[in-house]
Amino acid sequence: MTGPDPLYFQSEMQDALRIAVNRIGTPSYVYFVDRIRSRIEELHTAFGRRFQISYAVKANPNAALLRLLKSEIELLDVSSGGELNLALGSGYNAEQLSFSGPGKSVPELQLAVSSGCSKIIVESTSELEDLDALCAADGRSISVLLRVNPQKVPRGFGVNMSGRPSQFGVDEEELADLFRSASRLKHVSIAGLHIYAGTQCLDSEAIVENFGNYIDIFRTYAPMCAGALSDVIFGSGIGIPYHDRDEPVNLFDIAKHVNPMLDEMRRDHHLHNVNCILEIGRLLVGEAGYFLTRVLRKKESRGKNIRILDGGMNCHLAACGHFGTMIPRNYRMFRLPISKSPGHSTEQMKSYELFGPLCTTIDQLGRAVELPTLDVGDVIAIACSGAYGASASPINFISHGPPREAVVEYGAGELLIHDVTGV
Ligand SMILES: Cc1ncc(COP(=O)(O)O)c(C=O)c1O
């Protein structure tokens, strides 16, 4: 059974979704930019501006969103030449960019160097050597950050990228050797460390413990850098409440423990002036987005109420449970009331099996979902869809075309709908 998104009961949000659906149709994504802005503000308040916030573009590369958030987002993390060009084209400057990713090609490294990307995050020895050769040929010297693959990650992370053989970063136990060999390179020096150990964690204690592990690693290896460390990047790993019974984390509870740890870290003279960066994807944009899909067909099959929707796995792979999860679980969802309706519905709920339009059994958006009566033409809104939605889905499979995407915000008391794509 799936509970509604907490904002379901805010009629203003429902009205906004209804206006958007009438204007842009379905299947579609609607992103509330004001909610992203308040999340950024909440982070700054909780951590007392100890961190610069870096947004991981992979979570949602929507160009209108990037443009509208330009004055609030200090840094962007890109993971391909395409994302780098998108960031520059959206008005961010190269000083604001970090470039992570285990498989950067030489042309992508060249692009990063020539565009002046300020934080290239090196994930392997061979990448470091390629960069050195490339800079030697160009007659320049650069400093880079090194991504560390830590030995341990606390339990509680939905996706765990560390503590085992991994394509991400350099194994913690190899770091001392790597620093020694890096000191022989003439054109590249290591000036920062980056760790992203795991993600989708809703356990505050595990998040605090993970930050503590990061700090231990930064303190151990900072003295091995040729000069002072300029930046340390904390991959946040903080999750969002996709499913019924998921409790959102309280950022202030986390910050209460992390802030003194950061202050203590800075008492270490190697890290006294270091710039602390918090790298975040889903926590910024996930809860700000809704996926809207309309009932195309209804039928019963062997005692089950089946509904077929106009967008499924082709538009929203993650909500079907095929993106970073072992067992599919329903996202929070609700039926969008057709007309203005305040608060709770008194309609009787029924159990539905919700499928997308594709000819594959895995195209299922909901299992035994409790919803009011669903008729052809009704629209379902799926919450927590602002991250890893359209861009993380097999949009070309069976050629239904891309979902529409709209960024909305409230301006002068009115809902503004920006740059609709996919029409
Ligand atoms: C290096 C790096 N940074 C940032 C992110 C964003 O993670 P999330 O959206 O869970 O915050 C990821 C996710 O895979 C990542 O690998």
Side-chain angles (χ1 to χ4, degrees), residues 158-341:
V159 180
N160 176 344
M161 298 168 184
S162 306
R164 55 186 166 82
S166 162
Q167 72 271 48
F168 303 113
V170 174
D171 293 345
E172 184 184 341
E173 53 280 25
E174 305 295 329
L175 280 184
D177 280 350
L178 189 135
F179 273 107
R180 262 190 297 278
S181 48
S183 67
R184 291 192 282 274
L185 299 175
K186 293 204 169 52
H187 300 273
V188 176
S189 57
I190 298 168
L193 294 172
H194 169 282
I195 311 179
Y196 207 104
T199 190
Q200 186 45 26
C201 184
L202 292 172
D203 175 346
S204 300
E205 280 179 28
I207 292 163
V208 172
E209 185 184 335
N210 193 42
F211 277 46
N213 291 344
Y214 288 8
I215 290 174
D216 288 346
I217 294 173
F218 297 149
R219 292 184 73 163
T220 305
Y221 293 98
M224 294 191 193
C225 280
L229 270 194
S230 57
D231 300 289
V232 286
I233 303 187
F234 293 69
S236 90
I238 302 175
I240 55 173
Y242 289 106
H243 313 291
D244 195 18
R245 290 191 290 275
D246 280 354
E247 285 294 328
V249 294
N250 182 329
L251 290 174
F252 290 87
D253 280 351
I254 294 172
K256 187 172 69 193
H257 298 284
V258 169
N259 289 347
M261 286 157 56
L262 291 171
D263 296 343
E264 172 63 24
M265 178 185 87
R266 282 180 183 284
R267 279 195 269 280
D268 183 327
H269 73 275
H270 291 288
L271 291 158
H272 192 56
N273 288 318
V274 77
N275 184 31
C276 295
I277 296 169
L278 189 60
E279 191 173 289
I280 300 185
R282 73 189 73 204
L283 181 71
L284 285 192
V285 293
E287 288 166 273
Y290 290 81
F291 177 60
L292 301 163
T293 176
R294 195 180 291 273
V295 178
L296 282 180
R297 302 276 165 213
K298 63 180 216 180
K299 59 178 156 181
E300 276 191 26
S301 172
R302 303 202 166 106
K304 301 277 184 196
N305 292 311
I306 308 276
R307 295 294 179 270
I308 299 169
L309 310 168
D310 64 1
M313 178 184 115
N314 52 327
C315 304
H316 202 338
L317 186 71
C320 294
H322 309 307
F323 189 78
T325 39
M326 304 295 277
I327 303 162
R329 288 169 68 200
N330 297 335
Y331 273 37
R332 294 173 198 260
M333 60 181 87
F334 58 90
R335 189 194 69 187
L336 191 63
I338 292 153
S339 57
K340 243 180 182 337
S341 90

Side-chain angles (χ1 to χ4, degrees), residues 348-367:
Q348 217 193 332
M349 306 291 261
K350 281 192 193 159
S351 175
Y352 290 99
E353 303 300 313
L354 303 177
F355 294 94
L358 304 185
C359 314
T360 164
T361 52
I362 62 171
D363 187 15
Q364 186 162 9
L365 269 171
R367 294 158 182 83

